[in-house]
């Protein structure tokens, strides 16, 4: 690339990272805001994270995103952590301060909740929420949900030990764990069901969840966004349940990062929406 947009002002690091939609999102917003600079995807090979962070710190970027597998590994390389990043034990956004120090944030939880509230503003908060999974994304969803008015949170994960660890790390009351083979029995009690596992992603088997006992106002949220309509969401929609897909969470977490770096809230306009839908088709 030549011209004024060759100056890298922000980036995403991960491994692999070529599939990331973040450059499409942030480069659209940089252009819309008239900011002279671009956002790049940087593949950081295993064992080179420290080196990569030192190089990014020296390059004078506003900040960068962190994706799989470095969201936890990057924690000790930060000078400061936001309360959310500390609770979740994961950083997805780094802000470089003018004095060269690095602050680690986690905008996944904000993105998760903003998209839910925007899509189904009156989702049932008077019943439990069921979060399926206990990986990095589950941490963000669980930490965001426990701060809402729900009476309690149910966590179910194939490896139940990890669900118990997550409950302990969030460190609050109102969290119970559900055995993987009892997953379907938790459906009846839930006002919100969230899939945060990789099941349902392109190339993965679907999440084995029987929605037949879900209450009519139950909301089903799948944070997987490739494909946009997972087998879980297709099943939920066919049963007349409200559904929330994973793309909006991605866009909202990106918007929160952009605002941290550039001080202005970006707009999810129709051109970006259509570009992302095309990329995921
Ligand atoms: P992760 O930390 O690797 O966690 C993976 C989770 O999936 C674990 O709970 C794991 O259970 C479970 N799992 C994997 N294979 C399974 C199987 N065969 N049967 C049952 N459970 C299985 O990954 P992550 O970072 O949390 O990401 C999870 C998904 O969320 C990915 O699809 C990712 O693309 C998506 N995501 C979306 C957004 C967004 O903005 N929409 C943001 C972040 C992530 P075990 O603990 O038993 O292994």
């Amino acid at each position: 690339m030549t011209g004024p947009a060759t100056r890298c002002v922000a980036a995403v690091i991960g491994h692999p990272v070529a599939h990331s939609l973040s450059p499409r999102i942030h480069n659209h917003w940089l252009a819309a805001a008239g900011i002279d600079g671009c956002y790049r995807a940087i593949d950081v090979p295993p064992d080179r994270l420290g080196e990569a962070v030192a190089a990014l710190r020296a390059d004078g970027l506003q900040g960068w995103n962190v994706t799989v597998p470095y969201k936890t590994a990057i924690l000790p390389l930060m000078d400061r952590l936001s309360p959310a990043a500390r609770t979740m034990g994961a950083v997805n956004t780094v802000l470089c301060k003018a004095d060269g120090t690095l602050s680690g944030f986690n905008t996944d939880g904000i993105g998760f909740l903003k998209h839910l509230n925007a899509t189904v503003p009156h989702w049932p908060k008077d019943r439990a929420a069921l979060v399926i999974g206990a990986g990095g994304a589950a941490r963000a969803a669980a930490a965001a949900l426990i701060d809402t008015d729900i009476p309690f949170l149910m966590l179910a994960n194939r490896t139940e030990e990890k669900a118990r660890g997550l409950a302990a790390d969030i460190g609050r009351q109102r969290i119970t764990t559900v055995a993987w083979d009892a997953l379907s029995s938790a459906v009846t009690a839930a006002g919100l069901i969230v899939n945060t596992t990789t099941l349902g992603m392109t190339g993965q088997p679907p999440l084995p969840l029987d929605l037949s006992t879900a209450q009519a106002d139950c909301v089903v949220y799948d944070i997987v966004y490739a494909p946009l309509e997972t087998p879980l969401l297709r099943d939920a929609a066919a049963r007349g349940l409200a559904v929330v897909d994973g793309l909006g969470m991605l866009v909202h977490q990106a918007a929160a990062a952009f605002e941290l770096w550039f001080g202005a809230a970006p707009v999810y306009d129709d051109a970006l929406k259509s570009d992302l839908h095309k990329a995921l088709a």
Side-chain angles (χ1 to χ4, degrees), residues 133-137 157-159 162 196-199 201 223 246 249-250:
N157 192 47
R158 174 181 61 176
T159 312
K162 275 174 67 182
T196 72
T197 72
T198 49
L199 295 177
M201 276 177 80
I223 72 157
M249 170 176 170
L250 183 78

Side-chain angles (χ1 to χ4, degrees), residues 15 37 57 70 79-80 84 116 149 190 231:
H15 182 74
R57 200 194 276 259
Y70 299 124
D79 298 302
R80 274 177 299 277
L116 172 61
D149 294 335

Side-chain angles (χ1 to χ4, degrees), residues 7-13 38-40 42 55-65 94-98 102 261-262:
R7 189 173 69 101
C8 180
V9 290
V12 55
I13 61 168
C38 69
Y39 178 106
R40 293 217 168 96
I42 301 173
L56 288 167
R57 200 194 276 259
D59 279 353
L61 272 68
Q62 289 297 115
W64 64 89
N65 287 127
V94 177
L95 174 68
C96 307
K97 295 274 172 74
L102 303 177
W261 297 328
F262 302 109

Side-chain angles (χ1 to χ4, degrees), residues 15-212:
H15 182 74
V17 77
H19 66 283
S20 173
L21 291 176
S22 295
R24 280 177 186 266
I25 298 173
H26 285 285
N27 282 320
H28 179 86
W29 287 336
L30 285 168
I35 295 171
D36 173 20
C38 69
Y39 178 106
R40 293 217 168 96
I42 301 173
D43 196 307
V44 175
D47 306 326
R48 306 288 282 274
L49 181 62
E51 220 173 284
V53 167
L56 288 167
R57 200 194 276 259
D59 279 353
L61 272 68
Q62 289 297 115
W64 64 89
N65 287 127
V66 184
T67 188
V68 177
Y70 299 124
K71 287 186 182 183
T72 302
I74 203 161
L75 252 74
L77 303 175
M78 297 292 100
D79 298 302
R80 274 177 299 277
L81 289 175
S82 72
R86 202 179 293 280
T87 305
M88 293 174 201
V91 163
N92 81 329
T93 301
V94 177
L95 174 68
C96 307
K97 295 274 172 74
D99 62 2
T101 58
L102 303 177
S103 298
F105 294 82
N106 195 310
T107 64
D108 281 336
I110 302 169
F112 168 83
L113 205 56
K114 275 198 168 174
H115 181 46
L116 172 61
N117 288 331
T119 313
V120 191
H122 301 296
W123 59 275
K125 297 186 187 71
D126 57 342
R127 296 207 302 284
L130 168 64
V131 170
I132 304 166
R139 287 184 166 269
L145 283 171
I146 205 67
D147 280 338
T148 68
D149 294 335
I150 55 165
F152 67 101
L153 181 62
M154 301 183 283
L155 293 178
N157 192 47
R158 174 181 61 176
T159 312
E160 201 178 340
E161 190 66 21
K162 275 174 67 182
R164 281 196 288 269
L166 170 52
D169 288 349
I170 292 180
R172 315 275 177 94
Q173 306 289 316
R174 299 157 52 223
I175 306 182
T176 58
T177 56
V178 175
W180 189 248
D181 55 12
L183 191 55
S184 293
S185 66
V187 164
T188 319
L192 171 70
I193 297 172
V194 187
N195 175 42
T196 72
T197 72
T198 49
L199 295 177
M201 276 177 80
T202 307
Q204 293 282 326
L207 177 75
L209 188 68
D210 177 5
L211 292 174
S212 61

